[in-house]
Amino acid sequence: MDDRANRAALLRPLMGIRFIAVMAVILHHSGASWLALQSWTPPLVDNLLLNGTLAQGFFFVLSGFILQTLYRHRMAEPGAWRRYAVSRFARIYPVYFLGVIAVAPFVASIGWDALPQFLLLQCWPREGSVTWDIWNGPSWMLSVEFAFYLVFPFVCRLVERMSPRTIAGVVAAATLFIFLTGSAGPPGGTLGPDWVRTVPLPILRFPEFLAGVAIAEWQARRGIRPIVLPPGTALIGFAIVLMFPSYPQQAAVAIVFSTLMTIGLANNRRAMFTRMLDAKPAILLGAASYSMYMLAVPVHAALSATRLGHGVLLLQYPLIIGAAIALLFVYENPMRRWINGWSRPPTVAPPVTETLALDIAETAPVSAAKA
């Protein structure tokens, strides 16, 4: 199996797990508060849904892991930085822009304070500073992710040069920081020290991303070999953590379990859970998960505007999933291919990092649709 195939095989199950994490966040934002008020829902289920936003920390770890897996030893190639910049823009901005604009009809007033979100800057102000408008609330995560994209080329080259002990030290230091500060909790949370709420989110959440990059480097050097903890067990552990009422270290513990799940999926290829996530339907849902994340708020707002009660809001989940899958084929992937073409002459074949990412996000879903 060549390097390209190895990287694709490593990342495919991670594409599938994104759907589960995204749905946890969507359920948190769209129905958790209402369900928590119902007498017929068990407290454990209430807590699981109310804490679903903690899955966002998993995305930052996963992002670092995937980027390092894709770009390791490739940032030094001629033209790599330009191709990387165009590829990252193509990856997030078209769907992001659509998800923000779709909320505009439901915004009470529109002013200049709405402009920074179109530049992916809305996550920088914190308590005691200027306030910028955010139409699509969960989009704060994309603002943080964009900041990580800007520094990743430097982080990638730095981590590549680290010794195994240094890599272990980076992961340990990042984990310790998250545990001591509660930095991986929801933005605006009150469980950590007061100073945490004044630090810009890209700086505060950077240890999660850095840990993902370092773990991917360790994984690349180690190779794919089975580990003791199956990924399904780690997912169960992650869910159990979310079933408890909020406490200061909850987000950190959740990230530990989600990181173990990532490592388990990468190494235990024969595990039942890994095979489920490596199946075509799971890859399709994972590929469409970014669009689901950005469409959740406008779909919820549109259905809420009908004032037909909570029953009609149940339609939002199939609508979000169906619309996101359609968007993947008619907008997201075509836009990515078109924008990625800006970074190379028409006669030059696309680099492996670009085509590998699109092979996972596009070719597999097409096969799933035909299956």
Side-chain angles (χ1 to χ4, degrees):
M1 186 180 291
D2 61 18
D3 180 60
R4 176 194 178 91
N6 272 322
R7 296 187 191 217
L10 183 71
L11 295 179
R12 274 197 306 270
L14 301 181
M15 178 74 70
I17 196 63
R18 282 186 356 194
F19 169 71
I20 298 175
V22 162
M23 287 308 300
V25 177
I26 291 175
L27 287 169
H28 165 83
H29 285 293
S30 62
S33 298
W34 178 79
L35 281 174
L37 296 175
Q38 309 309 309
S39 59
W40 47 267
T41 54
L44 292 179
V45 175
D46 292 343
N47 292 331
L48 178 64
L49 297 177
L50 289 170
N51 291 322
T53 189
L54 297 183
Q56 290 170 321
F58 168 59
F59 288 124
F60 294 139
V61 176
L62 186 62
S63 175
F65 187 94
I66 290 176
L67 285 178
Q68 186 69 9
T69 301
L70 283 174
Y71 288 97
R72 182 175 183 261
H73 295 326
R74 286 183 162 83
M75 293 309 298
E77 296 174 357
W81 285 48
R82 181 188 176 199
R83 291 194 299 269
Y84 165 81
V86 173
S87 175
R88 292 301 93 197
F89 176 82
R91 174 70 185 95
I92 67 169
Y93 200 79
V95 172
Y96 171 84
F97 180 80
L98 188 66
V100 172
I101 286 294
V103 186
F106 310 101
V107 176
S109 61
I110 299 177
W112 287 106
D113 57 351
L115 180 61
Q117 67 185 322
F118 291 98
L119 303 176
L120 289 160
L121 298 175
Q122 70 269 32
C123 69
W124 285 92
R126 296 304 303 275
E127 288 187 9
S129 63
V130 64
T131 301
W132 288 338
D133 203 2
I134 303 178
W135 295 349
N136 191 328
S139 70
W140 70 267
M141 197 179 77
L142 279 303
S143 180
V144 175
E145 187 74 8
F146 176 67
F148 294 163
Y149 284 173
L150 294 178
V151 301
F152 171 73
F154 305 98
V155 175
C156 176
R157 300 297 304 279
L158 179 64
V159 172
E160 286 175 357
R161 293 174 170 82
M162 289 182 179
S163 67
R165 288 186 178 181
T166 304
I167 290 175
V170 166
V171 174
T175 304
L176 183 63
F177 177 85
I178 296 168
F179 266 96
L180 293 178
T181 65
S183 60
T190 58
L191 295 178
D194 291 340
W195 63 265
V196 168
R197 292 187 290 278
T198 66
V199 178
L201 284 174
I203 298 174
L204 192 65
R205 307 303 292 260
F206 181 71
E208 300 156 59
F209 178 78
L210 179 61
V213 173
I215 292 169
E217 182 65 24
W218 167 82
Q219 175 67 59
R221 298 181 191 182
R222 175 183 187 271
I224 299 176
R225 300 199 306 272
I227 61 172
V228 176
L229 183 65
T233 304
L235 177 63
I236 294 172
F238 179 82
I240 292 174
V241 170
L242 268 58
M243 289 179 181
F244 287 90
S246 298
Y247 57 92
Q249 285 73 42
Q250 187 177 34
V253 177
I255 283 181
V256 169
F257 274 102
S258 61
T259 301
L260 291 174
M261 181 169 54
T262 301
I263 297 172
L265 289 171
N267 290 280
N268 292 324
R269 306 312 312 279
R270 296 184 178 181
M272 180 182 297
F273 186 51
T274 305
R275 294 200 306 270
M276 289 172 56
L277 294 178
D278 204 7
K280 293 173 182 178
I283 295 175
L284 172 61
L285 291 171
S289 62
Y290 174 41
S291 290
M292 294 178 201
Y293 186 85
M294 291 305 300
L295 290 177
V297 169
V299 170
H300 180 80
L303 291 178
S304 298
T306 65
R307 301 186 182 277
L308 295 177
H310 291 285
V312 73
L313 289 179
L314 292 176
L315 294 174
Q316 67 184 308
Y317 304 114
L319 283 176
I320 290 168
I321 294 172
I325 292 174
L327 201 68
L328 177 72
F329 291 110
V330 304
Y331 178 73
E332 182 177 355
N333 280 338
M335 285 294 292
R336 288 179 67 185
R337 288 197 177 277
W338 179 62
I339 295 173
N340 278 321
W342 299 353
S343 63
R344 63 179 186 275
T347 56
V348 177
V352 64
T353 50
E354 175 189 319
T355 55
L356 176 57
L358 278 167
D359 281 348
I360 298 168
E362 182 175 35
T363 305
V366 170
S367 299
K370 294 178 179 178

